[in-house]
Amino acid sequence: MKRVLPFILAIAAAIIVPASAFAQLTWNGYYRTGGGYYAPSSGAQAFNYADRLRLNISYVDADNLFGAKFRLQGNGVSNPAGVANGQGYGFVNAFSSGPKYGYAFVNLFGGVVKVTSGKLDITDYEVVQQYEYDQFLGNVYTDALQPGTALLGAQCGTTTGAIVQVQPMAGLSVAMFDRIDGSSFNAHDLGFAAAYTVSGLGKVLFNSSIGHYAPNSGSALAGNATADDFSKSYFSLAFSYTGVKNLTATAGLRYDGDTMYNSSYNTATSLIAILDYNMADLLPMTVDLATDLDFANANSYVEGEINYTVAPQLKLRPYGEYDSTSSLVKLNYAGKANKYMVGCDLVFPAGKAAEFDAGFNYGDQTNLGIPLLVKANF
């Protein structure tokens, strides 16, 4: 019963929506297609094609009592595994692989309590490094088990289950969530989160998971997902400073006893830092930097970019990233796993409807690359 409860609640929410309420239905998304030519120092040269269809649909009733939200997303790639190996193109995957996330919610007691169930994307307890154009960056967030792998949010749909959020006073939100892990209740399915906003200063963020329900193969819990082991828990605490105009500076600490994604991140004790500075009062430029430093395992990930508006129809965007474990998927191209990549793109926006990107990058394994990208928003 526990396994299907979120989907029962989502269906029930859809049934009770009156026909007239569909005026509150909204949708948006984009289609992105392109690729890059890579000439690695060893192995064959390759053109790496990729495309993505993203469709966001949301519904909220007129009184904000209940609603639903989901994202269809499909990614298609030609190398190393993709069209030739049955993955298909992005628009095919979007409608065949299920939603990226999808959930329904109901607000109770005048909005003091919010109950959400489904494939969750809850961003109230995180700060995410956002990049307007880049397809390689955006891999650091305070709600993360390792770079690029969120627990509750970041539009990843990592957690399937239910969350209860309570706002006992202005600026404070506390939550408890339960992940689906079979048909019985286990302590390691539970997680707790909190966010407190200090007016004019910033926000304190806390997130946790009491043990991991799907331990990796190198874990002492492997093959025994029903065992409770609090030493495998995850905790993060961060502060996001917004007291200066156009500046967001976030710093946090994270402990992860047994990440489900990569055994090299086990018992990670990490510093997470995110800086986003819009220099609009001085220059038409934004500066973004982010890092995830795991002191316990001597792992590190760093990324950053400068986005400079040369003219309304042209932006210059130099960027770079470094991953000491060479495990980040976004850095792997033409069958090569890069440890670092630097590059520069020319971005040609067509209003808010579309954009064309062209540039070059260099990776320690892929060598010189020439990426091209076309994106259409709808």
Side-chain angles (χ1 to χ4, degrees), residues 4-164:
V4 300
L5 179 60
F7 303 102
I8 294 175
L9 293 177
I11 293 171
I15 292 174
I16 63 176
V17 175
S20 61
F22 281 101
Q24 306 296 323
L25 192 68
T26 61
W27 61 278
N28 60 69
Y30 66 80
Y31 180 69
R32 186 179 74 190
T33 182
Y37 174 78
Y38 295 91
S41 54
S42 63
Q45 300 179 1
F47 180 81
N48 190 50
Y49 165 81
D51 78 331
R52 169 185 289 176
L53 174 67
R54 173 178 291 181
L55 176 61
N56 305 310
I57 300 177
S58 62
Y59 165 81
V60 180
D61 80 299
D63 298 319
N64 196 32
L65 294 177
F66 55 86
K69 183 178 181 180
F70 71 92
R71 164 174 290 177
L72 292 176
Q73 179 168 306
N75 300 317
V77 294
S78 61
N79 191 341
V83 175
N85 295 301
Q87 180 172 325
Y89 294 98
F91 62 86
V92 175
N93 295 339
F95 294 98
S96 62
S97 60
K100 182 79 170 179
Y101 60 78
Y103 56 85
F105 67 86
V106 58
N107 286 310
L108 306 172
F109 310 111
V112 175
V113 178
K114 183 178 182 180
V115 181
T116 305
S117 185
K119 197 172 184 180
L120 302 177
D121 176 51
I122 306 298
T123 59
D124 305 56
Y125 310 102
E126 71 175 19
V127 175
V128 178
Q129 180 69 328
Q130 298 283 4
Y131 293 97
E132 186 176 1
Y133 297 99
D134 199 287
Q135 59 181 317
F136 308 123
L137 307 182
N139 304 302
V140 177
Y141 11 92
T142 56
D143 169 26
L145 303 173
Q146 70 164 16
T149 56
L151 179 64
L152 274 178
Q155 303 170 339
C156 290
T158 303
T159 295
T160 300
I163 183 170
V164 178

Side-chain angles (χ1 to χ4, degrees), residues 144-193:
L145 303 173
Q146 70 164 16
T149 56
L151 179 64
L152 274 178
Q155 303 170 339
C156 290
T158 303
T159 295
T160 300
I163 183 170
V164 178
Q165 299 171 267
V166 181
Q167 293 184 310
M169 56 181 286
L172 176 64
S173 175
V174 295
M176 180 178 74
F177 61 92
D178 180 24
R179 295 187 292 190
I180 291 178
D181 180 18
S183 58
S184 60
F185 174 83
N186 301 288
H188 62 252
D189 290 335
L190 292 176
F192 300 89

Side-chain angles (χ1 to χ4, degrees), residues 115 129 153 235 329 361:
V115 181
Q129 180 69 328
F235 303 94
V329 173
N361 56 43

